């Protein structure tokens, strides 16, 4: 008979603990690296504040107050949050400053000077993206810019497009939203008629404005969908591409629901309610509806992808 020696608790735990990755040490190292880089970044942050604080003040007291550009601060805040979330990944490699940052910085400063002096909002806001990208290139290199590509791409949605282009694209969108609203409410039994983008329901007339069904609203909802995709990080290319494409009809459906909501509010509660507080509340309805539709479509794509994998198996 041979005796079997059973390993004690410490001996059993040793292999398991040795196989665990040193995640706390890695995170502590990244935090230490982040703290170590802060002294080098204070002059840069001070320069950015001196350069762009007047622009931020002008935006928060001007363009970002109106409905057409009201998505600007939300896009900017989410982009900064995404960049802060991704910043530790830029510290994994040593800094390799790129000379490409300097010509890009010169271009961004020239764009800012032109936009600020000539009151061209597209240039002034676009210069923020160019200057920030140039600083990342000049301080950390191409690898850091690759890591932060999505926050910079996401900022493009806050840049206003030329008014002529917006007007040319917005009119067909408003016509389509007005047509869908008319037919849906007429099918539901409401006394509604349409002339172009003017809806007549009962004794009230409603004009479908650019903010209710315009290109900027579509771009804002597209940005919301891309932000959702970036957070979820689905491994399936089918889900990512499918949802990115379907965000366009989702945005159209959300706009139709918003216009229907405003039309019914005006019909039941009067014109003052439709143009007052509830008009702003309908904007929240738009984004909540779009978010619910995005989640529903994403769940449907997940179910379909699961069926495809099951069929293949």
């Amino acid at each position: 008979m041979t005796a079997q020696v059973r390993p004690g608790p410490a001996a059993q735990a040793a292999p398991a603990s040795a196989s665990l990755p040193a995640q706390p040490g890695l995170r502590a190292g990244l935090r230490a690296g982040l703290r170590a880089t802060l002294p080098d970044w204070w002059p840069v942050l001070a320069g950015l504040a001196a350069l762009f604080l007047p622009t931020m003040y002008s935006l928060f007291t001007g363009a970002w107050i109106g409905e057409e550009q009201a998505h600007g601060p939300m896009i900017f805040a989410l982009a900064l949050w995404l960049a802060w979330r991704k910043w530790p990944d830029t510290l994994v490699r040593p800094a390799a400053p790129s000379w490409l940052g300097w010509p890009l910085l010169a271009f961004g400063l020239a764009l800012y000077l032109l936009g600020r002096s000539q009151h061209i909002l597209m240039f002034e806001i676009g210069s923020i993206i160019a200057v920030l990208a140039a600083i990342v290139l000049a301080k950390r290199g191409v690898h850091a810019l690759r890591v932060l590509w999505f926050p910079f791409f996401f900022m493009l949605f806050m840049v206003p497009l030329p008014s002529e282009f917006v007007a040319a694209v917005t009119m067909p969108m408003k016509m389509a939203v007005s047509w869908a609203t008319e037919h849906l409410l007429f099918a539901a039994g409401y006394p509604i008629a349409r002339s172009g983008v003017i809806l007549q329901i009962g004794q009230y007339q409603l004009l479908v404005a650019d903010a209710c069904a315009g290109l900027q609203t579509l771009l804002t909802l597209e940005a919301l969908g891309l932000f959702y995709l970036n957070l979820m990080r689905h491994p399936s290319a089918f889900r990512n591409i499918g949802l990115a494409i379907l965000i366009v009809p989702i945005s159209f459906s959300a706009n139709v629901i918003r216009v229907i909501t405003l039309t019914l509010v005006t019909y039941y509660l009067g014109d003052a309610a439709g143009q007052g507080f509830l008009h702003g509340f309908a904007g929240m309805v738009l984004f909540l509806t779009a978010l619910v539709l995005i989640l529903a479509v994403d769940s449907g794509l997940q179910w379909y992808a699961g069926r495809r994998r099951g069929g293949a198996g």
Side-chain angles (χ1 to χ4, degrees):
M1 178 181 292
T2 58
Q4 295 182 349
V5 181
R6 299 175 61 88
Q12 290 178 347
S17 61
S19 64
L20 289 176
Q23 289 295 332
L26 178 61
R27 292 175 182 172
L30 290 176
R31 291 196 190 99
L34 183 60
R35 286 194 297 269
T37 58
L38 280 179
D40 293 336
W41 283 89
W42 281 122
V44 176
L45 296 176
L48 288 174
L51 185 65
F52 290 122
L53 277 181
T55 296
M56 290 292 118
Y57 177 78
S58 300
L59 290 173
F60 278 104
T61 56
W64 283 356
I65 294 179
E67 286 189 347
E68 291 186 2
Q69 299 295 327
H71 62 283
M74 178 187 70
I75 298 293
F76 189 57
L78 290 177
L80 292 179
W81 179 79
L82 287 171
W84 176 260
R85 185 167 170 259
K86 281 285 189 181
W87 185 253
D89 295 339
T90 66
L91 305 178
V92 174
R93 294 186 186 180
S98 173
W99 64 270
L100 295 173
W102 298 108
L104 182 58
L105 180 62
F107 169 75
L109 293 176
L111 197 66
Y112 174 78
L113 181 62
L114 179 61
R116 186 71 178 169
S117 61
Q118 302 302 316
H119 304 286
I120 305 175
L121 196 59
M122 181 176 65
F123 289 173
E124 191 172 356
I125 296 179
S127 68
I128 299 175
I129 306 172
V131 169
L132 293 178
I135 290 173
V136 171
L137 270 175
K139 295 283 288 182
R140 300 296 305 177
V142 177
H143 168 71
L145 191 62
R146 284 201 195 102
V147 172
L148 300 175
W149 76 269
F150 185 79
F152 285 114
F153 170 75
F154 193 69
M155 285 186 194
L156 292 176
F157 286 96
M158 72 179 185
V159 178
L161 298 173
S163 56
E164 295 80 7
F165 174 76
V166 172
V169 177
T170 295
M171 181 53 69
M173 293 175 60
K174 292 196 300 182
M175 293 287 290
V177 169
S178 305
W179 180 89
T181 302
E182 177 202 13
H183 283 74
L184 289 173
L185 289 180
F186 184 79
Y190 286 94
I192 188 170
R194 179 180 63 90
S195 175
V197 295
I198 298 176
L199 297 173
Q200 176 83 37
I201 183 166
Q203 70 270 33
Y204 300 107
Q205 275 192 348
L206 295 94
L207 173 66
V208 179
D210 294 352
C212 294
L215 179 62
Q216 293 294 347
T217 303
L218 175 63
L219 292 177
T220 304
L221 295 178
E222 183 74 22
L224 179 66
L226 293 177
F227 179 78
Y228 171 80
L229 283 176
N230 185 261
L231 287 184
M232 294 297 103
R233 294 191 173 279
H234 296 313
S236 170
F238 169 76
R239 284 178 71 180
N240 289 326
I241 297 174
L243 188 58
I245 294 174
L246 291 174
I247 286 173
V248 175
I250 287 173
S251 303
F252 177 79
S253 302
N255 274 319
V256 171
I257 292 173
R258 180 189 186 185
V259 174
I260 288 176
T261 302
L262 285 173
T263 304
L264 293 179
V265 165
T266 303
Y267 180 69
Y268 284 110
L269 301 178
D271 185 65
Q275 298 301 320
F277 170 77
L278 291 178
H279 189 277
F281 179 74
M284 296 178 60
V285 171
L286 170 71
F287 288 103
L288 289 176
T289 303
L291 182 59
V292 170
L293 289 175
I294 288 172
L295 293 173
V297 170
D298 189 30
S299 300
L301 290 174
Q302 182 184 10
W303 172 80
Y304 180 72
R307 283 198 61 184
R308 287 181 60 187
R309 286 194 300 267

